[in-house]
Amino acid sequence: MLYARAWFGRETQGPPGHVHGGAMAAVLDEAMGGACWMNGHRAVAAKISVSFIAMLKLHSETTVEARVERTDGRKIYVRAKMCDARATPIAEADGLFIVLREEVFQ
């Protein structure tokens, strides 16, 4: 399991006074990729799906959790969630990551 904190400043603004969903999605994508790599899966995202539960005010700190759910050959299935400082869910994501072939690293 990967645990992280993310802070969203004014550069991430989408709707007035709130964080752009793309900024939150990028953090969830990075967390899911990190969970893959820290578990020995040198993988990249093939597909991610993000569900936005609530709007997040700018200058907010969040906690992010990501974990590998299961593997199937080169396919790695991952989930992540982001919560605000009160542990209220803000967004959730799931992703399909694909383990890179060894020749990519040559």
Side-chain angles (χ1 to χ4, degrees), residues 20-35:
H20 191 286
M24 291 188 285
V27 169
L28 290 165
D29 174 33
E30 190 68 23
M32 290 188 292

Side-chain angles (χ1 to χ4, degrees), residues 12-82:
T12 64
Q13 181 168 284
H18 293 85
V19 178
H20 191 286
M24 291 188 285
V27 169
L28 290 165
D29 174 33
E30 190 68 23
M32 290 188 292
C36 287
W37 284 72
M38 69 183 273
N39 282 285
H41 306 294
R42 300 191 306 179
V44 295
K47 180 179 179 180
I48 65 168
S49 176
V50 179
S51 297
F52 299 101
I53 300 165
M55 292 178 68
L56 180 63
K57 290 186 183 276
L58 287 175
H59 308 292
S60 292
E61 185 173 291
T62 63
T63 58
V64 181
E65 297 177 11
R67 68 183 177 285
V68 172
E69 292 272 287
R70 65 185 174 92
T71 62
D72 180 13
R74 292 179 50 223
K75 296 177 182 178
I76 313 299
Y77 296 89
V78 190
R79 292 191 64 76
K81 93 174 157 177
M82 178 182 293

